[in-house]
């Protein structure tokens, strides 16, 4: 995957603490979209001991701002999946985030669905729907969108600020290195154990799919190594997108290669394991304990 | 499903043993398609002690016939999935058998595929492709078709007679009651055990799909009873069609109704178990041992 | 095991309903020990439609009797494990019940323990400790004995009558055949599935032990048949004795005989499964799903 | 456990490579018992790049020695479990090795058994029975002893030298630090997963026993931490003793503390898992996946 963006510049917390106020504000300008006043407000409070502390201070500024200023800030965000999303006036971060979900590649029908939700939402609340896109599959995003339409304005303002906390935390972590970075990454891993010979199952193919309400999408394929694991976690280094997934293990091919006395036609061929991820920063370990005629799985960590 | 046929008339072996030769031959005329001479040849050997014995005697007549007579018999069968299959001149049994696989409802593309295989086969061997359709899904039938194209004529004649034995055995069993009927039925069943409370899982939805190479088809849905089983086996009373299947268990809904302390978002929601059936007369028991976070399955009997 | 008793005479409920009152009373005299007045009181209420109905009527007589008469009845029972238990003056049923637990074969130390509990109990309550011995292992019996010493007299009278209901129900069921017999039997069974070859594991040895606090006792050994089950349930036809048990499966020998490529030294040899039975009339199915390197078990029914 | 020995002095391979020959020989004198000539023979070949290389060189000297010198060396070893084993004239290493198995604390009966085996062995082969005691439980040691009595002298000489390789490798590793140390350590570990709540099971008691033919010995008890593991492996830092072991998990107490709706009497209380260790340098991971009514285990690594 190639994102249409320049890679983020990495700064250290030390550099930010030491920078002249103007440079500090400029460096963090895009963390809170179109709102350099947030960075400006925390500049005098430097030095920050941790990245988390810096983020909390910035969120505190936003939380303490007058409602009108909060709303102006929220209104500065692009509408989700709108034509705007394909236009020039997105910040690079917004483009990256929405692009990762395929929201800039909507079909006409899907685009219409989002347009309709956006319109209903905007009419009810007077600001665009804000959500930390990188923590969601399209299905979970749509589900949240519809559920949040039922909120009253007070709850929804609160929810929008919470989502902004999640969005800006991810942006800050991507931009600033240093001590005390908040956890923003989840992990999905697997492990295959051949219970016929009591050893890890090597050279078994594994495929990971996202299972959407209307379609499934292949995320990756891998092959188990001699430890029965994939060389890298299936997902790591980013939030897990809330949603439904399926692992498919090439059990039939694996045992066919090794069988002495196995029957010619396998009982198990492709073994699917379907599960939901609901904690974007969670660790999910989904092992497979398998013979040609049985298997077990469970949620590990 | 409604088959466009009148239900088969049931005779007893005793009635057949006692009938005048003409009636005996007429009663069994359609068992070996367009070949009343097979029934005629075994009429003097009556009485038969078992239905299996009657069938074996009829097959022995066919096996002992001159090659030309065998070929004439084989040539009397309709081509699989041909336009002929939708016409009037099929025997009722042939219509029933081919109809059960959806072969009379082929798309134009699929019809072309079968036409092409039929043509290649006919050109090579000089007779139509014979297979006991009721033991196959469309995928396994196509796989056999392609594999058998590679046979030489000697092996293929032998294979065609073996398939005729399977076809006529099913027809005879459907028509004649009596002692010593051959086994022609398979069984697929399931059982769900809730391992949180150590009891059968009642009121869980179960769906059975056929998993084809290009599509999946819902065969049935059911709900587990208080023993954690479906009231009737998932498949019984007929041969199992060789092929790939998937059971889907409504585990998330089941535990959501019963949960006290379960997390709001289920790790397991729909649990799929995919397996292949390769023995049409086999008994396959596929249980699910399940908690909200783990499950196991195995092939039972 | 040989019990020092003549086998119980079987009567039918019909015979009892039709018998002269004197014979009816005589036939049931030993069901409520030394208390023919119980049978006498229900004789006029005949005919009884079910054995359960007869038993409930007899218990109702006991429940409605004056406290002094109840206590006299309770006092008529032998002390548990006392020297009395080896003497002549036990009813045959009491000898059978206590003998089945080995309570007439106590060591001097154990005898002293029971003597001490009996004495404490008798001093506190003024009547002997009553318990339906056939529903208990020695450990569970001792645990109940100690727990019940803490009861007040009101609760303990109630408990003694409940135990008498259990004792007399078993005696009545053993003596009288007919419709509506109460359930007094439990069942323990097993099933071994070889998950390497997807079939029941035949010819595997199984041993069942009672696990006492201070010792273990072999109850039986068996060998699995071709269905992977024992020919008869491990326990059936009687109440399950509340207590701790262990099944031991000869997994190492089983796989050693069948192995092609298994390592010379087994990881699993004897596989123990330890569990408690707490429902004397329950059905406990304890299967073993096994490979040379893994196994699973669960409570089935 | 307190061993009646001073802790071994640690040298580095570098120190040995640089030492004057006399010191080198003195430092390694006890590695090959009473045979400083082995160390003397390899002294000129220094420097050794790895500890394994040093050991292989010393073994090559022994292998190349005349048979009479080999036998004299073998005869210099103490008899296993002899009274000699309690006397003064053992090397400190021999005392440590035999002591670890309890062979200096034999009962009179066991002592007689060893004496008898020793006598038979000595009579047949003319030298004492040599075995790397630290890789065996008493049962596996006795089994080897009896099996090796059936060898002919040629095979048994070879076997004795192989055991000496194992013994001296352990002694060398204990004495010398440096690159390329041979693997002499095994590992046994466990992991408990609560499949009701999909999390590691914390605060569960675990006991490890050695299961001997005639008795069982408690090796250690531990409690699982919040990862469901014991803080340290159950065995590590030494060879695993070949033999039979049992883990016992306090499953009943664990769930009793956490249960909301569990039945008052647990089906599972103490869960035993019995297995054999046959590779002293192997890694054995024996996890428990458990609910109040089911569990599974398997050999991991």
């Amino acid at each position: 995957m190639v994102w249409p963006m320049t890679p983020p510049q990495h700064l250290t917390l030390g550099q930010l603490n030491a920078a002249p106020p103007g440079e500090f504000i400029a460096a963090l300008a895009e963390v809170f979209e179109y709102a350099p006043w947030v960075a400006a407000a925390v500049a005098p409070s430097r030095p920050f001991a941790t990245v988390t502390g810096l983020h909390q201070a910035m969120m505190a500024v936003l939380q303490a701002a007058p409602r009108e200023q909060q709303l102006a800030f929220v209104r500065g965000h692009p509408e989700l999946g709108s034509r705007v999303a394909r236009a020039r006036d997105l910040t690079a971060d917004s483009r990256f985030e929405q692009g990762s979900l395929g929201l800039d590649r909507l079909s006409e029908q899907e685009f219409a669905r989002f347009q309709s939700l956006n319109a209903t939402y905007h009419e009810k609340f007077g600001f665009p729907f804000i959500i930390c896109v990188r923590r969601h599959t399209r299905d979970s995003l749509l589900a949240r969108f519809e559920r949040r339409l039922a909120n009253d304005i007070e709850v929804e303002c609160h929810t929008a600020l919470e989502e902004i906390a999640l969005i800006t935390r991810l942006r800050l972590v991507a931009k600033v290195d240093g001590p005390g970075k908040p956890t923003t990454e989840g992990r999905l891993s697997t492990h295959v154990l051949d219970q016929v010979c009591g050893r890890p199952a090597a050279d078994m193919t594994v495929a990971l799919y996202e299972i959407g309400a209307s379609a499934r999408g292949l995320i990756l394929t891998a092959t188990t190594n001699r430890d029965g694991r994939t060389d890298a976690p299936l997902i790591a280094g980013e939030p897990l997108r809330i949603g439904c997934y399926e692992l498919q293990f090439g059990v039939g091919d694996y045992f066919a290669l090794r069988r002495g006395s196995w029957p010619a036609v396998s009982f198990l061929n492709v073994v699917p394991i379907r599960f939901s991820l609901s904690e974007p920063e969670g660790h999910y370990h989904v092992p497979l304990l398998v013979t040609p005629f049985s298997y077990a799985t469970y949620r590990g960590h």
Side-chain angles (χ1 to χ4, degrees), chain A residues 66-174:
Chain A
R67 172 57 52 104
E68 262 322 296
Q69 192 170 14
Q70 289 178 339
L71 287 178
F73 170 70
V74 167
R75 287 194 194 99
H77 286 73
E79 292 210 326
L80 204 64
S82 68
R83 287 218 185 280
V84 166
R86 277 170 263 185
R88 281 296 103 81
D89 54 354
L90 248 66
T91 65
D93 280 341
S94 268
R95 248 188 295 132
F96 169 70
E97 287 153 7
Q98 298 203 1
S100 64
L101 192 66
L103 291 181
D104 56 352
R105 294 184 301 277
L106 296 176
S107 71
E108 283 309 306
Q109 190 179 0
E110 290 164 328
F111 176 72
R113 173 90 184 283
F114 270 106
Q115 285 292 77
S116 160
L117 285 167
N118 277 331
T120 309
Y121 186 94
H122 207 289
E123 180 162 2
K124 176 163 181 185
F125 297 115
F127 50 81
F129 177 72
I130 308 284
I131 191 164
C132 182
V133 171
R134 289 175 62 196
R135 295 163 54 97
H136 292 278
T137 57
R138 194 180 301 192
D139 282 354
S140 76
L141 190 148
L142 278 171
R144 301 284 164 118
F145 208 157
E146 283 169 359
R147 207 180 317 146
R148 282 170 56 185
L149 276 171
N151 284 343
D152 63 30
I153 180 109
E154 206 53 42
V155 168
E156 191 52 23
C157 276
H158 182 72
T159 305
L161 291 181
E162 280 182 339
E163 292 291 331
I164 283 163
L166 295 170
I167 293 167
T168 54
R169 197 176 65 169
L170 275 167
R171 290 179 180 179
L172 196 66
V173 161

Side-chain angles (χ1 to χ4, degrees), chain A residues 118-275:
Chain A
N118 277 331
T120 309
Y121 186 94
H122 207 289
E123 180 162 2
K124 176 163 181 185
F125 297 115
F127 50 81
F129 177 72
I130 308 284
I131 191 164
C132 182
V133 171
R134 289 175 62 196
R135 295 163 54 97
H136 292 278
T137 57
R138 194 180 301 192
D139 282 354
S140 76
L141 190 148
L142 278 171
R144 301 284 164 118
F145 208 157
E146 283 169 359
R147 207 180 317 146
R148 282 170 56 185
L149 276 171
N151 284 343
D152 63 30
I153 180 109
E154 206 53 42
V155 168
E156 191 52 23
C157 276
H158 182 72
T159 305
L161 291 181
E162 280 182 339
E163 292 291 331
I164 283 163
L166 295 170
I167 293 167
T168 54
R169 197 176 65 169
L170 275 167
R171 290 179 180 179
L172 196 66
V173 161
K175 200 178 277 296
V176 181
D177 286 334
K181 290 180 85 163
T183 301
T184 55
E185 304 180 353
R187 189 176 67 211
L188 174 65
S189 58
T190 190
H191 193 193
V192 189
L193 291 142
D194 175 342
Q195 305 218 305
V196 173
C197 66
R199 299 204 61 80
D203 298 319
M204 188 184 289
T205 58
V206 181
L208 176 66
Y209 293 87
E210 183 192 327
I211 306 294
S214 60
R216 57 173 53 205
L218 178 64
I219 297 176
L220 62 84
T221 58
T223 302
T224 55
N225 57 26
R226 55 181 302 222
D227 292 329
R229 304 177 192 270
T230 53
D231 286 336
L234 298 164
I235 306 177
E238 57 183 334
L240 301 177
R241 292 181 181 277
I242 294 168
C244 182
Y245 296 82
E246 190 170 287
L247 280 166
Q248 295 195 350
F249 297 90
V251 168
D253 289 345
Y254 171 85
F255 280 115
L257 274 174
R258 283 152 188 83
R259 77 187 161 207
S261 57
W262 312 124
V265 182
S266 310
F267 177 62
L268 297 177
N269 191 355
V270 170
V271 166
I273 297 184
R274 196 177 297 179
F275 52 90

Side-chain angles (χ1 to χ4, degrees), chain A residues 279-291:
Chain A
E279 305 160 19
E281 292 84 25
H283 288 187
Y284 291 82
H285 184 59
V286 184
L288 179 70
L289 317 176
V290 69
T291 80

